Amino acid sequence: MKYLLPVFIVNILFATRVEAKTNQDSVWMVRNYTKREVYVPMRDGVKLYTAIYEPKSNNEKHPILINRTPYSIAPYGQDKYRANWNNHYMEYFKRGYIMVLQDVRGRMMSEGKFMDVRPFNPNKHGTQTDEASDTYDLVDWLLANTKGNNGRVGIYGISYPGYYATMGALCGHPAMKAASPQAPVTEWFIGDDFHHNGAFMEMDAFGFYSSFGKPRPKPTTKGASGFQFPYADKYKFYLEAGPLRNLAKLMGDSVEFWHELYNHPNYDEWWQNRNTRKFVQHIPDNTATLVVGGLFDAEDCFGAWELYKSIEKKAHNNNKLVMGPWSHGGWARGAGDHLGNVRFGSETAKWYQQNVEIPYFEYHLRDRGPGTGDGLAEATVFFTGSNEWHRFNQWPPAKAHKKRVYFHTDGSLNVSSPQCHTGYRQYISDPAKPVPFIDGVITHRTAEYMTDDQRFASTRPDVLTFTSKQLNSDVTVTGTITANLFTSVSTTDADYVVKVIDVFPDDFTYDTKEAKAYPMGGYQMLVRGEIMRGRYRNSFQFPKPFVPGEVTEVSYKLPDVAHVFKKGHRIMVQIQSSWFPLADRNPQQFVNVYKASERDFVSSNVRIYTNAHYPSNIELPVLPALKAISDAEVESQLDNRIKYFVSVYGSKAKLEKAAGKTISKLREDYREIIREQMLAARDMED
């Protein structure tokens, strides 16, 4: 006990300091900002509830930064302030931004009728509205009704608000200078949230819409309650609930979007009109976009990568990409130094906030920055494995090349194509015993599953495993992975889950005490996994059954990765036909999944062919090794910088006096800055 007492005292002192800092910031907020809540009229007469935080200072003109959300702008009440002093948004307040929050049309306190992912209408006229026009009307009103604004507006949002940030970029108002869609809802059938390649992500969808989807007959400050699960074990719950038509009964008749999901089982026009990538060519040239996402975002990883690529391809604006080692929204909360058991070596979220997001808005909304542009590379991406930030002139990097890695009958994985003529591996996919997506009792869809240990799945007979030898050198994978499967099934449909895994050495361990709680030796880190509903292998709009026993090619793309498989590690690929209850079970017959009954679910014999005629493989975008930056090179650059400034000031003594630091302290302070600059120059050159 006597040894624990000093630790306890330290913790008390630390907590006291944090609480004091929080109280200090909250007092500062009330003293320096006023909050007002107003109904802002839209062009069709509908009024949207809006909270405006305005600085009391009139020393300068202030930029406007907007967040539009379907979730709530609580707390409601002009004397109740949102606790922004607990996150990095406090920096915007400290810099004098006018911060604006708005309940979108039909949600919470706003008037009107809500529509999920309301389609953008490029041909609006008169009083016709969409989310882009609502943003335009809000901007117009703010410019006329907020004192001391500088005429420049930005918008940001994470997840569903990320979709509204995309709509803000599309609004076309000349004052909208910068938008940042972050983990943006982009495409709800192909890869975001509720469908992945046509497979229904029932756990997220049911949990979300049982509350969010309930009708709101009149404006309210309180959200609806969700479904009350009878017990904690969600694997058991969803398995016993049975087919999706049974979930519909549990959901009830009031959730409109749930009915739409069931009525549109394929990628028809209804879904296509909700694909924001279809409209990004309408983003004005003078509206910059910064697309942000997490490499391990379980919800909208696809949306971030693909929205950026679409804007890059179709629009002509200043468009940038940032991807870090984060779960959903991890760049805006927490330190970003780990996810689950995997460590990233630094506080990546803080680095992003200080070096990317805040400077981005500062430049575009206040002309404050490095002097030439916003100072950001085209793509700023964190590489897991090596745990380093890299900057590129394009994404994927220009020097990345495709390398096929083949599956072999003996379970090996290598770059040599199979030579045998009859090889295959097979398993029985039984919908009554689906493969769980994580180990242990599943109480919720975890964020950490995106980097979880896959050893539990390796032992199952319905999971195929292919593993490389230990790597002789680092392998850097940057971009989209493609799975090319030659397969046959004994039924008329099947799902395919391909998981790309980094197998750590058996003696691997982290240095930190916290990380040593889990045995990392032999850890099988999920780098990227994705599901494909086999019926959509040729077209998401026009599904096609399998012919039982006939060899068929199923090729599909996994969301981009940025990962270094280190020397001494191994690359593993797992293949299975269920991922439950993350994704719904496929009946494995060519029937409407949303109307299928219990008797429609049957077992299927699934074969993955591994021979010369049908060489199943994955295609990895491999980046050649980047030139290392040595400590000696950094020190040499430091020497040159110090010599230059000594020449400018006339002597070392005068430089130290001007800087208020000794030469050794200057070297210490600028060493990592120099290293980052050298790394950035290297990446841009490569």
Side-chain angles (χ1 to χ4, degrees):
M1 178 65 73
K2 67 180 181 179
Y3 299 107
L4 294 176
L5 188 57
V7 175
F8 175 74
I9 292 172
V10 169
N11 287 338
I12 289 292
L13 290 173
F14 177 75
T16 302
R17 288 171 185 165
V18 170
E19 183 178 358
K21 179 65 164 59
T22 299
N23 290 339
Q24 183 182 6
D25 284 344
S26 63
V27 170
W28 181 93
M29 174 81 79
V30 174
R31 286 178 176 172
N32 290 275
Y33 269 80
T34 59
K35 178 190 177 186
R36 58 185 171 123
E37 296 180 344
V38 297
Y39 272 108
V40 176
M42 302 292 104
R43 64 190 61 183
D44 62 348
V46 170
K47 298 181 179 66
L48 305 188
Y49 203 79
T50 308
I52 306 169
Y53 294 82
E54 295 169 285
K56 295 178 181 178
S57 169
N58 57 6
N59 292 337
E60 61 177 346
K61 297 292 186 180
H62 307 286
I64 299 171
L65 191 55
I66 296 171
N67 179 264
R68 304 185 67 240
T69 178
Y71 295 134
S72 174
I73 62 170
Y76 294 94
Q78 295 196 157
D79 61 338
K80 294 180 173 63
Y81 284 55
R82 180 169 281 198
N84 288 294
W85 45 85
N86 292 328
N87 53 51
H88 79 282
Y89 300 117
M90 187 65 180
E91 278 297 312
Y92 295 109
F93 287 90
K94 293 282 190 179
R95 294 166 191 254
Y97 281 63
I98 298 169
M99 302 294 283
V100 179
L101 308 175
Q102 185 176 72
D103 287 331
V104 299
R105 181 180 292 256
R107 292 294 300 176
M108 303 307 291
M109 285 294 290
S110 283
E111 298 175 353
K113 179 176 173 53
F114 178 72
M115 179 185 293
D116 273 290
V117 284
R118 191 187 306 271
F120 174 73
N121 179 4
N123 301 308
K124 295 179 291 291
H125 60 272
T127 59
Q128 291 180 331
T129 65
D130 56 15
E131 300 302 339
S133 72
D134 282 354
T135 310
Y136 187 104
D137 294 346
L138 171 62
V139 170
D140 230 25
W141 189 93
L142 290 169
L143 293 176
N145 293 278
T146 54
K147 294 180 180 179
N149 73 75
N150 71 356
R152 296 188 184 188
V153 181
I155 188 169
Y156 73 96
I158 300 172
S159 191
Y160 216 150
Y163 155 79
Y164 292 103
T166 305
M167 293 298 107
L170 285 163
C171 79
H173 199 292
M176 180 61 75
K177 301 300 182 182
S180 184
Q182 303 177 7
V185 168
T186 300
E187 170 61 85
W188 268 356
F189 194 86
I190 308 299
D192 284 331
D193 292 304
F194 306 132
H195 292 89
H196 285 213
N197 293 312
F200 184 52
M201 310 304 277
E202 71 172 326
M203 194 176 190
D204 274 0
F206 185 78
F208 181 76
Y209 271 102
S210 67
S211 59
F212 182 85
K214 288 180 178 176
R216 185 222 60 171
K218 61 181 181 179
T220 179
T221 60
K222 296 181 179 179
S225 60
F227 181 79
Q228 298 302 304
F229 291 92
Y231 39 79
D233 188 339
K234 299 303 188 297
Y235 184 98
K236 173 181 169 68
F237 170 79
Y238 285 103
L239 191 61
E240 292 183 348
L244 293 180
R245 70 178 189 176
N246 293 350
L247 277 188
K249 296 175 184 177
L250 295 174
M251 182 67 74
D253 296 328
S254 65
V255 181
E256 182 178 346
F257 194 74
W258 195 259
H259 290 287
E260 297 286 7
L261 289 171
Y262 280 54
N263 290 333
H264 299 277
N266 304 319
Y267 192 55
D268 57 15
E269 185 179 10
W270 188 85
W271 282 115
Q272 293 169 29
N273 286 336
R274 284 161 174 77
N275 171 15
T276 59
R277 295 176 295 166
K278 183 177 178 180
F279 306 106
V280 295
Q281 65 271 21
H282 298 286
I283 296 175
D285 294 358
N286 70 329
T287 300
T289 46
L290 175 68
V291 182
V292 181
L295 294 168
F296 305 116
D297 184 343
E299 298 170 46
D300 299 302
C301 179
F302 173 94
W305 288 116
E306 298 304 320
L307 179 65
Y308 163 77
K309 292 177 186 177
S310 294
I311 295 174
E312 199 65 17
K313 182 179 179 180
K314 296 181 178 181
H316 304 286
N317 67 327
N318 178 349
N319 178 44
K320 304 290 176 65
L321 172 72
V322 181
M323 295 294 290
W326 305 305
S327 61
H328 193 61
W331 51 94
R333 56 177 177 268
D337 60 338
H338 74 285
L339 181 61
N341 300 309
V342 179
R343 321 298 291 192
F344 304 130
S346 63
E347 294 186 339
T348 62
K350 184 179 294 185
W351 185 93
Y352 156 79
Q353 294 158 14
Q354 295 175 349
N355 293 281
V356 179
E357 184 185 292
I358 294 169
Y360 168 77
F361 282 118
E362 281 285 273
Y363 173 76
H364 289 288
L365 302 186
R366 290 158 63 109
D367 283 333
R368 296 183 181 178
T372 55
D374 54 25
L376 299 180
E378 177 68 24
T380 303
V381 181
F382 189 88
F383 283 21
T384 51
S386 62
N387 290 344
E388 295 177 321
W389 285 102
H390 292 276
R391 303 163 181 83
F392 296 99
N393 287 322
Q394 66 178 69
W395 186 266
K399 291 189 177 181
H401 63 277
K402 296 179 180 179
K403 174 71 74 174
R404 292 199 174 199
V405 184
Y406 294 90
F407 310 145
H408 292 263
T409 308
D410 63 358
S412 63
L413 180 73
N414 58 59
V415 296
S416 300
S417 60
Q419 299 302 308
C420 65
H421 297 286
T422 58
Y424 62 83
R425 294 184 68 192
Q426 64 182 345
Y427 56 89
I428 301 297
S429 174
D430 183 356
K433 300 175 182 178
V435 181
F437 75 100
I438 57 173
D439 196 14
V441 178
I442 300 172
T443 59
H444 62 289
R445 196 272 295 139
T446 64
E448 296 80 10
Y449 94 84
M450 297 287 283
T451 61
D452 263 352
D453 193 348
Q454 300 300 304
R455 281 179 281 198
F456 77 96
S458 297
T459 62
R460 287 186 60 114
D462 51 358
V463 177
L464 300 183
T465 300
F466 302 91
T467 312
S468 75
K469 293 180 180 180
Q470 281 194 345
L471 301 174
N472 294 322
S473 60
D474 292 356
V475 175
T476 302
V477 180
T478 57
T480 305
I481 295 174
T482 303
N484 301 304
L485 308 179
F486 291 97
T487 181
S488 66
V489 295
S490 61
T491 53
T492 53
D493 197 17
D495 286 348
Y496 296 88
V497 178
V498 172
K499 298 185 289 187
V500 179
I501 296 162
D502 185 342
V503 183
F504 291 21
D506 290 337
D507 60 353
F508 182 89
T509 183
Y510 286 116
D511 294 332
T512 61
K513 181 179 179 181
E514 297 83 3
K516 288 183 177 180
Y518 188 90
M520 296 300 294
Y523 191 85
Q524 295 178 7
M525 172 190 169
L526 181 62
V527 174
R528 181 65 75 231
E530 188 58 289
I531 190 169
M532 176 72 190
R533 184 135 291 172
R535 65 179 63 191
Y536 297 117
R537 63 195 179 277
N538 299 324
S539 168
F540 289 110
Q541 187 173 6
F542 304 108
K544 183 179 180 181
F546 287 85
V547 176
E550 182 177 292
V551 179
T552 305
E553 184 174 9
V554 176
S555 291
Y556 69 100
K557 299 182 184 302
L558 286 65
D560 287 25
V561 301
H563 184 78
V564 179
F565 294 87
K566 299 294 289 181
K567 178 182 178 180
H569 290 225
R570 290 176 290 162
I571 301 174
M572 175 185 285
V573 174
Q574 291 180 357
I575 302 173
Q576 59 203 54
S577 287
S578 52
W579 215 12
F580 190 76
L582 188 66
D584 71 316
R585 298 172 303 143
N586 190 327
Q588 302 185 143
Q589 298 197 80
F590 191 71
V591 296
N592 186 331
V593 176
Y594 299 95
K595 296 181 179 180
S597 65
E598 285 86 347
R599 64 177 178 271
D600 291 319
F601 287 75
V602 298
S603 293
S604 183
N605 184 58
V606 181
R607 288 183 176 180
I608 302 296
Y609 289 84
T610 55
N611 59 57
H613 298 297
Y614 303 116
S616 298
N617 62 84
I618 57 166
E619 199 171 88
L620 302 177
V622 177
L623 185 68
L626 296 169
K627 175 187 173 184
I629 303 295
S630 68
D631 291 342
E633 289 176 296
V634 174
E635 294 305 314
S636 177
Q637 282 288 331
L638 264 174
D639 289 342
N640 292 336
R641 296 286 179 93
I642 295 296
K643 287 178 182 177
Y644 169 75
F645 283 111
V646 168
S647 69
V648 170
Y649 285 92
S651 70
K652 288 184 179 180
K654 290 180 179 179
L655 171 59
E656 288 179 330
K657 183 178 180 180
K661 300 177 182 179
T662 64
I663 295 295
S664 61
K665 180 59 175 171
L666 282 170
R667 294 182 71 92
E668 180 184 333
D669 289 349
Y670 285 96
R671 183 171 285 109
E672 288 308 309
I673 294 174
I674 295 294
R675 185 183 298 276
E676 282 217 1
Q677 290 174 346
M678 294 177 71
L679 287 170
R682 176 204 64 184
D683 293 343
M684 299 290 275
E685 180 180 337
D686 286 336

